[in-house]
Amino acid sequence: MIRQQTICIIILLLLFSGLTNHGQTIRNNTPDSVTPVYLDHKEPIYITIYKRVAWDLIQKADTGSVENKLIAAKMSALTPEQQNQLEPLFVKSITGYADKTHFEAWTLMMNFNKVARKTPKEIADKYEIRVQNLGGECYAAEFWEAIEQGDYNKVMALLYVREQDGSVTFRDPFQGITDFLNR
């Protein structure tokens, strides 16, 4: 709960001020000229990511999970100095994640919890999941929503990496904050 509240407060501060205390803005630095390469729905890596993307999102956003309760406890124990370090770290984490997934940081933040509140079935019914090869062993699982007949809007993207052992790992958009809290 505290983690979600802190993140919401940070987002609201950034939305209304447009700038962080350090003069940075959250924006997408990804070049517009990137041509997406989407995987066929029959490819094994697509199937692996598709089967788990809703669960990964829901788990990451679950404020009642053991992991998120530990994070919330660590956040509440931060000193004022450490709390001041959190905002620029948050900006760096989310913009870096957005750049890697070729997506907009603001849109990701606005939709992350909104989509995660749905059940896996609701997610499957509402969103078309496309998996984009980002190059090498990196992939973006994109959530596309129908807005008009035949027109779709990309709502968010989550990052996945195929590891050397062949396993597929979900990369947390808030990993920088988690690493900060665990040091």
Side-chain angles (χ1 to χ4, degrees), residues 15 62 84 121:
L15 277 172
D62 179 8
N84 288 337
K121 181 174 179 356

Side-chain angles (χ1 to χ4, degrees), residues 3 7 56 60-61 67-68 71 93-94 96-97 100 108 112 158-160 169-179:
R3 175 179 185 227
I7 290 171
D56 288 337
K60 185 43 59 189
E67 177 187 1
N68 285 338
I71 290 170
S93 292
I94 199 64
Y97 194 87
K100 287 176 190 167
L108 172 65
F112 190 83
L158 298 178
L159 182 63
Y160 286 85
T169 306
F170 166 63
R171 297 300 165 101
D172 179 1
F174 310 107
Q175 190 61 49
I177 294 169
T178 303
D179 293 344

Side-chain angles (χ1 to χ4, degrees), residues 18-19 23-30 91 94-96 98-99 103-106:
L19 297 173
Q24 300 171 316
T25 59
I26 290 186
R27 62 185 172 278
N28 185 8
N29 295 322
T30 305
V91 171
I94 199 64
T95 56
D99 286 346
F103 196 59
E104 297 173 4
W106 284 122

Side-chain angles (χ1 to χ4, degrees), residues 9-98:
I9 289 168
I10 290 170
I11 292 169
L12 287 173
L13 286 171
L14 295 171
L15 277 172
F16 291 110
S17 70
L19 297 173
T20 70
N21 291 338
H22 303 283
Q24 300 171 316
T25 59
I26 290 186
R27 62 185 172 278
N28 185 8
N29 295 322
T30 305
D32 294 331
S33 63
V34 174
T35 303
V37 176
Y38 291 100
L39 302 181
D40 184 272
H41 292 216
K42 295 177 183 173
E43 291 187 46
I45 188 76
Y46 173 88
I47 294 167
T48 299
I49 292 171
Y50 180 82
K51 284 182 178 180
R52 62 181 286 189
V53 69
W55 286 108
D56 288 337
L57 172 64
I58 291 166
Q59 275 188 308
K60 185 43 59 189
D62 179 8
T63 57
S65 73
V66 173
E67 177 187 1
N68 285 338
K69 284 181 179 180
L70 288 172
I71 290 170
K74 289 177 182 181
M75 287 182 92
S76 65
L78 292 176
T79 66
E81 180 182 301
Q82 291 169 321
Q83 289 174 4
N84 288 337
Q85 295 172 6
L86 201 57
E87 184 182 336
L89 180 59
F90 173 79
V91 171
K92 182 180 178 184
S93 292
I94 199 64
T95 56
Y97 194 87

